[in-house]
Amino acid sequence: MQININNTYNSYSHSPQNKISFKGERLFPVNMFKSFYCGPQEEISGYFTKMTADDIPLIQQAKEFWQFTLFGPQILERFAKSTKKIQTYMVECPKFNSPSDKIQALASVKDEGDSFFVEFIQSASELPRGFDLKGAGSMILYGVTRLAEKLQKKFIHLESSNFDTDSFYQKHFFISSPNSSRFILRKDDFPKLRKMLEEKYNIPVPKE
């Protein structure tokens, strides 16, 4: 099934001095909250972006920042292979100057026909930096859910890696079987997750 996402944003590139120049499809606007250890919160706007074939030559540059994270290398490896059924998405923040700060989360997502399987999610929280940014992982789930709605998927599946992520997914309406690391978000709960995150993070929602 093909889809025309009316609120898809134009392809883009960052300036040469920032070293990394992505050209992905900006699918949905997202919001996060940035704070320093002692200071007020600042709203940070960004995009849930699909990385495209034009970004493949730049993958070695991105690995510089993600090679020591838990799932970053696996996500970037899948992106480099550029398979049709597995897509790579990022939460991108153009306002940051540093290449390591422009990408706040990565995800590898497999299309399984009537569902998405989120293979890996990696936030930038493991990268050394002098501030805290809240919401990047939630924005990955938000973007995948909005895309699942557009494509009329019935489920979103994922595997939890530990107890902390179990709690995170449960707060986002994912459910699991007893003693199972497999989580599922059902179609009927897509709007519930989307609305909760739009309100919590003040996400701008363009008219369809």
Side-chain angles (χ1 to χ4, degrees), residues 1-8 25 27-28 50 116 146-152 208:
M1 174 183 176
Q2 293 186 337
I3 178 175
N4 178 20
I5 301 178
N6 293 328
N7 59 320
T8 298
E25 294 178 57
L27 299 180
F28 311 113
K50 175 185 174 182
F116 280 145
R146 284 201 64 183
L147 191 58
E149 286 184 304
K150 292 284 187 180
L151 293 170
Q152 299 181 20
E208 300 294 335

Side-chain angles (χ1 to χ4, degrees), residues 69-88:
T69 59
L70 187 59
F71 298 122
Q74 291 96 320
I75 295 171
L76 296 179
E77 180 182 352
R78 279 158 173 72
F79 169 64
K81 290 179 179 178
S82 188
T83 64
K84 290 183 179 180
K85 288 189 176 182
I86 300 176
Q87 300 293 338
T88 305

Side-chain angles (χ1 to χ4, degrees), residues 62-77 100 103-107 120-129 161:
K63 280 185 176 179
E64 176 186 350
F65 304 108
W66 296 91
Q67 62 180 333
F68 298 115
T69 59
L70 187 59
F71 298 122
Q74 291 96 320
I75 295 171
L76 296 179
E77 180 182 352
S100 62
I103 307 171
Q104 289 300 324
L106 292 167
F120 300 103
I121 296 176
Q122 178 65 60
S123 75
S125 60
E126 293 182 27
L127 303 178
R129 53 189 181 179
S161 58

Side-chain angles (χ1 to χ4, degrees), residues 48-181:
F48 176 78
T49 299
K50 175 185 174 182
M51 298 174 72
T52 68
D54 290 334
D55 298 317
I56 292 176
L58 305 169
I59 203 64
Q60 292 300 324
Q61 296 179 53
K63 280 185 176 179
E64 176 186 350
F65 304 108
W66 296 91
Q67 62 180 333
F68 298 115
T69 59
L70 187 59
F71 298 122
Q74 291 96 320
I75 295 171
L76 296 179
E77 180 182 352
R78 279 158 173 72
F79 169 64
K81 290 179 179 178
S82 188
T83 64
K84 290 183 179 180
K85 288 189 176 182
I86 300 176
Q87 300 293 338
T88 305
Y89 299 93
M90 64 178 167
V91 170
E92 171 241 344
C93 299
K95 73 171 293 179
F96 287 122
N97 292 321
S98 167
S100 62
D101 292 337
K102 286 183 180 295
I103 307 171
Q104 289 300 324
L106 292 167
S108 177
V109 180
K110 185 177 182 180
D111 191 324
E112 297 186 330
D114 68 347
S115 65
F116 280 145
F117 177 65
V118 183
E119 292 189 317
F120 300 103
I121 296 176
Q122 178 65 60
S123 75
S125 60
E126 293 182 27
L127 303 178
R129 53 189 181 179
F131 63 88
D132 179 54
L133 193 140
K134 179 182 178 182
S138 293
M139 295 304 100
I140 286 288
L141 294 181
Y142 174 77
V144 171
T145 300
R146 284 201 64 183
L147 191 58
E149 286 184 304
K150 292 284 187 180
L151 293 170
Q152 299 181 20
K153 301 294 182 181
K154 295 180 180 178
F155 307 102
I156 299 172
H157 300 270
L158 53 82
E159 293 276 351
S160 175
S161 58
N162 56 54
F163 180 78
D164 289 336
T165 53
D166 284 359
S167 176
F168 174 74
Y169 296 132
Q170 288 165 354
K171 290 177 181 177
H172 290 75
F173 308 110
F174 282 79
I175 58 175
S176 67
S177 301
N179 302 316
S180 172
S181 61

